[in-house]
Amino acid sequence: MTVIGIDAHKRTHTLVAVDDLGRKLGERTVVATDEGHLRAVEWAGQWPQVSFAVEDCRHMTRRLERDLLRAGHRVVRVHTRLMAAARRSGRQRGKSDPIDAEAVALAALREPDLPVAHLDGPTRQVKLLSDHRHDLVVERTKLCGRLRWHLHELDPELQVPSRGLRRYRVIDELAARLADLDGTVARIARDLLVRCRELTVQINALERELRDLVEDLGPTLLAIPGLGVLGAAMILGETAGAARFKSKHAYARFNGTAPIPVWSGNKVRVRLNRGGNRTVNTALHMAAVTQTRGIGPGKEYVDKLINSGKTKTEALRLLRRRLSDRVFTALLTDERACQPTDRPACAATSSAHTATHLQPLPVAA
């Protein structure tokens, strides 16, 4: 098996091929376009068995991965720290595109259980919409802070309810009060209020669209107490297929709920994992907090842990780990049920998403 490591950039991709013993066989640089990807596939055709390895940077490699997969090649993703470790242990000093590409290939040879790339499914649409909604919410929050200071300057006695600037009734009442005011501050406040209403309309529309997608793709996931539409959308979009994880423990490591062992000797100790996918971790934390308020079985579990000597924070972490296992099972259940042959709606969603891709690249003879 020949492994081709790829150092991907916006303009060009550098490829280095190594054999199963790590010896360098060749090097090639192609442009980061469909035509350049085709040249890479043709160049790789000189070896009978080829596997591609790319550094795990989806914004740079997503299009490249898609073209390589459609050409029939296997693509694995190498974490940045694994590539950096392989580069530091190499004989050639310095840093360049060929050195990085060779380090990616060597890391792929050393690590047998790297994640394998797949074509994007319907959950990518959920991720894109969820991320876009999050960006709009952040923009609205910043805008509301500025608007509140202007309102305070115009009328210190004007009280705007907490989170009131996301409600149409409050926005309309403020617009009516600002309509008769003159001056630059009032004009800026009116402009910010108009923009706030526009953002609220877009955010609510995205939430409705996400609700339809999540109800179709993850009904079992939505049935978990404490997990709403937005949390389920975050989990679906970031997980990108639970079947790619070999066990619930691997999924827990992915989302950062699995503790890190830090012991030597006979006493087993662990510490908090601050890594992992923080978006999924946040969704699990929100579900755990909601359950502790009496929605679902989480409150009884947390109370039992607190009575046994755990702190509330430690109990929440253990509940979050238990929720990770339940979410993993629910994701697998939904993925098995949401096959194109069984669920026409899911098939239509997947087909509509796949139609946005380019046509497959021809395989070099």
Side-chain angles (χ1 to χ4, degrees), residues 300-310 314-315 318-319:
E300 181 180 353
Y301 178 69
V302 169
D303 290 343
K304 179 181 177 180
L305 291 175
I306 292 176
N307 293 333
S308 66
K310 299 286 187 183
E314 292 172 338
L318 292 171
L319 177 59

Side-chain angles (χ1 to χ4, degrees), residues 77 115-116 118-119 121-124 217-218 220-221 224 232 234-255 280 323-339:
R77 296 181 177 132
V116 180
H118 298 282
L119 289 174
T123 54
R124 172 152 170 78
L217 294 173
T220 309
L221 184 65
I224 298 177
M234 293 162 63
I235 291 174
L236 280 170
E238 295 294 330
T239 301
R244 65 190 181 97
F245 298 97
K246 61 182 179 180
S247 66
K248 62 182 181 181
H249 308 295
Y251 184 69
R253 290 194 63 185
F254 161 76
N255 59 45
V280 178
L323 281 174
S324 172
D325 295 344
R326 186 168 180 184
V327 164
F328 180 70
T329 303
L331 288 171
L332 289 179
T333 302
D334 290 332
E335 287 174 15
R336 295 190 188 102
C338 193
Q339 296 296 330

Side-chain angles (χ1 to χ4, degrees), residues 12-208:
T12 61
H13 301 319
T14 299
L15 296 78
V16 171
V18 299
D19 61 13
D20 53 359
L21 297 179
R23 296 173 298 193
K24 186 174 179 179
L25 301 177
E27 176 187 325
R28 181 73 180 270
T29 298
V30 299
V31 294
T33 61
D34 290 338
E35 184 66 23
H37 301 165
L38 178 59
R39 301 284 81 79
V41 171
E42 293 175 345
W43 178 72
Q46 60 184 298
W47 295 286
Q49 293 184 338
V50 172
S51 175
F52 286 88
V54 298
E55 189 176 356
D56 197 352
C57 183
R58 311 293 171 83
H59 294 294
M60 292 289 184
T61 62
R62 189 178 300 278
R63 192 182 188 93
L64 172 63
E65 289 179 6
R66 184 191 63 194
D67 290 341
L68 292 177
L69 289 171
R70 291 185 170 181
H73 290 289
R74 181 176 182 269
V75 182
V76 297
R77 296 181 177 132
V78 179
H79 195 278
T80 303
R81 61 181 175 82
L82 297 177
M83 183 274 289
R87 186 180 62 206
R88 287 194 299 268
S89 62
R91 294 185 176 182
Q92 187 174 2
R93 300 183 62 182
K95 185 183 185 303
S96 65
D97 290 352
I99 292 176
D100 288 348
E102 185 176 358
V104 171
L106 293 177
L109 283 175
R110 297 176 183 177
E111 302 292 334
D113 295 327
L114 293 173
V116 180
H118 298 282
L119 289 174
D120 293 326
T123 54
R124 172 152 170 78
Q125 183 180 0
V126 176
K127 174 174 171 54
L128 291 174
L129 293 176
S130 179
D131 290 347
H132 182 46
R133 180 190 176 279
H134 174 74
D135 293 339
L136 294 181
V137 170
V138 172
E139 181 181 352
R140 184 179 65 180
T141 301
K142 180 179 179 180
L143 181 146
C144 289
R146 293 168 53 196
L147 177 58
R148 284 180 178 275
W149 281 113
H150 290 313
L151 293 175
H152 178 75
E153 181 179 351
L154 292 170
D155 185 0
E157 296 182 353
L158 179 62
Q159 298 294 328
V160 180
S162 177
R163 301 184 180 183
L165 291 175
R166 64 181 66 177
R167 301 201 296 266
Y168 296 128
R169 180 179 60 82
V170 176
I171 294 176
D172 292 340
E173 291 176 355
L174 286 175
R177 296 191 63 171
L178 293 174
D180 299 331
L181 299 180
D182 298 327
T184 304
V185 176
R187 188 186 70 181
I188 294 175
R190 285 192 293 267
D191 292 342
L192 291 177
L193 198 60
V194 170
R195 179 56 180 158
C196 182
R197 186 184 182 89
E198 293 175 353
L199 289 174
T200 302
V201 171
Q202 295 176 359
I203 290 169
N204 293 341
L206 286 172
E207 185 172 349
R208 290 191 295 269

